[in-house]
Amino acid sequence: MSAYDYGSTGLGTEYELEPTTLTLPQKSNAISTKLSSILATSFVDADIREALRTLDESETQNTPETRRRLRLDAQKEVIERNGDIIKDFGHVAEQLKRIGSTVESLNRCCEDLRQHVATAHRETGPMLEEASSLFTRKQEIESKKELLDAFIEHFVISDDDLESLISSDTPVDDRFFANLPRLKRIHKDCQVLLGSENQQLGLDLMDKSSRDLNMAFQKLYRWVQKEFRTLNLENPQMNASIRRALRVLAERPTIFQSCLDFFAESRERNLSDSFYAALTGTSSTSEAEDLTTKPIEYNAHEPLRFVGDLLAWTHSATVSERESLEVLFMSEGDEMAKGVQAGRESEPWSQENVEAFDGRKSLEQLVNRDLAGVARALRQRIEQVIQSDEDPVLAYQIANLIDFYRVTFDRLLGADSSILLTLSTLQQSAILQYRTTMHDHITAVAAHVPKMSPDLDTPEFLSEALDRLKALMKSYDSSPAPAESRYSGFTPILAESLDPYLTLCENMARKASEPSRTIFTLNCLLAAKATLSPFDFTTHRLTATDAQITAHLPPLIEYQHAFFLHVSGVHPLLAALAPLAAADNDTELDDQEPLRRVPTLAPFQPQALRDASQVLDDFLPSALTDALDNLKLLRSATLAQTVTAEAVERFCADFGFVERMLAGADALLSRGKEREGVDAGAEERGEVVSLRALFPRTSAEVRVLLS
């Protein structure tokens, strides 16, 4: 290796050996130059740093010998390593030769393979094309299969499911109700197919689904009819299945209505049979007697109780029927109504001029139809009771009892129910029977009017009439008549049951004299008032009766007044003064002529006046007792005292008039004697007699004794 080559190792020219022929100054200059060059070398150079690092790693001792042989050692090492490299490259060349031969062999194989592949490609080309075509057809067939599966899944129902819907051998169970909505959905979705290019498929499917739906609904209809024949409304499980079926049938209004008609007929028969069983204790379909309950007919001898039991059973049966039908038809809320409305919309041709479906109203109509047979039997039985008894009180009590249940059924079933019409007819029949029997009774009494009893008591026919009236009022008081119409509602009954008898009593009284006539009439009116008083709806009639009693008091007052005047001896005095009173009726007697005539009147002569005074004195101590004894046959002591007190007032007024006339006559006589000069002692000697001295009683004394 040349010095140049060694320098390329990065050690520089500073290690080159100078020729021996150089002189010393030249040698010194060369060393200086070398040193300068070394000192000027930048160790930043990567080659220098790498050379130094390599030198350091060789672990060479820094000795003069080593430094002198450094270049030779380096060259030797380079030569050795180059020899190793050449040896290694010889091995590589051999390997490359072998690889080359291998690659040539592979190239020959690949060429053979290419030829084979080309040959195979030429031979399999038609097969690949056919496979591609088959694969495409496979994809199309798979797509069609998926579409067909989806179509079958959506539009075709399996044979087993279809059999569960239309076969009469399979029961109506959860499977039926699960498959029916699917069949309805298929029928509805067929309309989509009618809008496609192939409408025939939609028509065929719609026709088939329509037939299947009709058969399914017919099967359900027959099943419901079968269940209705043996339906137990108290069985919740049965009610649940029936409710489900009815909710489905509601979508077919015609079938649903037929089902309701059949149900109504079945329930009518069942309720009629139950009514007959409750009435007689035996069923119409079985002659065996039910000993667990007492037949209603056992109370037939008590008509009112019998009718009440009939109406109570009918009301109980109606309430039970309504509650059961509410559970059967209304427990699902508005689902039934929604189904019926949807069915009507699907059959518009059969629902012309039909009102919107009202569940409550339809329920009331159905209950009404169920009770039609019971209503007919009830009417027949109660009419027999009404017509077979001639007691007007019983007829009226039955009418009030029927009216009570009529109001109850009105709230329960509405005003249009047949049972309500039956009860109204029965009530009218009972009222007519009451009026007929009452008229017959009045006619019989009027044909043989008895005479007044000596004690002037109410006649027997009036007592009986008042007893009947009391029973009628008790019955009416327990009726559900509204408060505002209680009086007006009973007024016709009062006119029919009381007024004719009071008229007969007045006719009887006309044949008697006073005071018996008035006392008898008042006794009848007082008895009527005592009968009417306990009831609030007779207030107006009591007021009218009080007015009648007051109107009959003047004859008694006049009789008592005449008794006081005649028995007391005041009547002759008052009769003698009557013409003078007509001339001057003033308290201050300004006209002296009537007063002058008083002493000349026969009753005012001394002896007659003394006798009248004595009679008055004898009368007054027992006057009040004697007067009340005149009215002892009057049934009201208070009324007798009132009449007597009024007569006493009139008597006292008359007595006061007599007293004033006597005082005025005495005063006029005294003034005349004074003018004529008669001395004052003449009266004491008996020459002049004072009228007041002969009749000394004063009005105050009389009033005190008669009070």
Side-chain angles (χ1 to χ4, degrees), residues 472-474 476-478 486-488 490-491 494 535-541:
L472 294 177
M473 289 188 294
K474 286 182 179 179
Y476 183 78
D477 192 39
S478 62
R486 285 176 65 81
Y487 170 73
S488 60
F490 196 71
T491 300
L494 278 175
F535 303 96
D536 58 350
F537 52 85
T538 60
T539 306
H540 294 77
R541 184 54 189 264

Side-chain angles (χ1 to χ4, degrees), residues 268 271-272 367-377 418-419 422:
E268 180 181 355
L271 288 175
S272 298
V367 175
N368 181 40
R369 294 176 61 185
D370 295 349
L371 293 171
V374 174
R376 290 191 296 270
S418 62
I419 191 71
T422 299

Side-chain angles (χ1 to χ4, degrees), residues 159-443:
D159 294 339
D160 292 339
D161 292 341
L162 185 60
E163 184 179 3
S164 68
L165 288 172
I166 65 177
S167 176
S168 58
D169 297 332
T170 57
V172 176
D173 51 10
D174 293 340
R175 185 182 177 189
F176 176 90
F177 291 107
N179 291 325
L180 186 61
R182 183 185 173 195
L183 184 58
K184 290 190 291 185
R185 177 173 53 81
I186 291 173
H187 179 72
K188 182 179 179 181
D189 292 346
C190 285
Q191 298 176 3
V192 178
L193 298 178
L194 295 178
S196 63
E197 295 181 358
N198 189 2
Q199 296 183 355
Q200 187 61 40
L201 177 61
L203 292 173
D204 294 342
L205 284 175
M206 180 170 285
D207 181 62
K208 184 177 184 306
S209 60
S210 297
R211 290 196 306 271
D212 293 341
L213 269 179
N214 290 333
M215 295 176 67
F217 276 106
Q218 287 296 327
K219 174 184 176 180
L220 185 61
Y221 171 64
R222 290 190 297 271
W223 179 82
V224 170
Q225 282 186 323
K226 178 182 176 182
E227 295 298 324
F228 275 162
R229 292 190 182 94
T230 59
L231 176 62
N232 181 9
L233 294 178
E234 304 299 328
N235 185 355
Q237 184 176 2
M238 179 65 71
N239 286 345
S241 59
I242 293 294
R243 284 199 305 270
R244 191 174 185 181
L246 290 175
R247 190 166 62 250
V248 173
L249 286 177
E251 300 175 9
R252 295 294 179 95
T254 304
I255 299 178
F256 182 69
Q257 187 59 45
S258 299
C259 208
L260 292 183
D261 294 340
F262 182 84
F263 175 78
E265 294 173 1
S266 176
R267 291 303 300 166
E268 180 181 355
R269 288 192 300 270
N270 292 340
L271 288 175
S272 298
D273 185 65
S274 299
F275 179 80
Y276 182 81
L279 183 64
T280 63
T282 58
S283 174
S284 61
T285 58
S286 175
E287 296 300 329
E289 185 175 357
D290 185 5
L291 300 178
T292 60
T293 58
K294 184 179 180 181
I296 299 176
E297 278 188 344
Y298 280 6
N299 299 321
H301 62 284
E302 300 179 33
L304 187 61
R305 181 179 177 182
F306 178 68
V307 172
D309 290 345
L310 289 177
L311 293 173
W313 185 93
T314 304
H315 177 259
S316 176
T318 302
V319 172
S320 299
E321 186 73 7
R322 181 183 176 87
E323 291 177 351
S324 299
L325 295 187
E326 281 182 348
V327 173
L328 188 60
F329 291 98
M330 306 295 293
S331 61
E332 303 294 335
D334 296 335
E335 294 298 324
M336 191 76 69
K338 292 179 180 178
V340 172
Q341 190 62 33
R344 288 181 174 180
E345 292 175 358
S346 65
E347 297 181 2
W349 60 87
S350 62
Q351 302 295 330
E352 295 180 359
N353 300 324
V354 177
E355 298 179 356
F357 180 78
D358 186 347
R360 290 292 174 185
K361 185 176 180 181
S362 299
L363 177 66
E364 292 175 356
Q365 292 175 352
L366 186 58
V367 175
N368 181 40
R369 294 176 61 185
D370 295 349
L371 293 171
V374 174
R376 290 191 296 270
L378 182 69
R379 178 175 180 176
Q380 180 183 4
R381 294 287 180 168
I382 295 181
E383 280 184 346
Q384 289 176 356
V385 174
I386 294 173
Q387 299 300 328
S388 63
D389 201 299
E390 296 182 357
D391 184 5
V393 175
L394 177 61
Y396 185 76
Q397 289 174 337
I398 291 176
N400 271 342
L401 182 62
I402 294 173
D403 184 59
F404 170 78
Y405 278 98
R406 183 188 61 81
V407 174
T408 303
F409 277 102
D410 188 10
R411 292 194 294 262
L412 186 62
L413 298 179
D416 298 331
S417 63
S418 62
I419 191 71
L420 198 65
L421 179 61
T422 299
L423 293 179
S424 299
T425 304
L426 289 173
Q427 183 185 13
Q428 294 173 3
S429 177
I431 292 294
L432 180 61
Q433 178 69 7
Y434 156 76
R435 289 173 176 167
T436 301
T437 53
M438 185 64 70
H439 180 267
D440 294 342
H441 190 271
I442 293 172
T443 302

Side-chain angles (χ1 to χ4, degrees), residues 6-18:
Y6 184 75
S8 64
T9 61
L11 296 177
T13 59
E14 59 271 20
Y15 297 107
E16 294 180 354
L17 297 178
E18 293 296 329

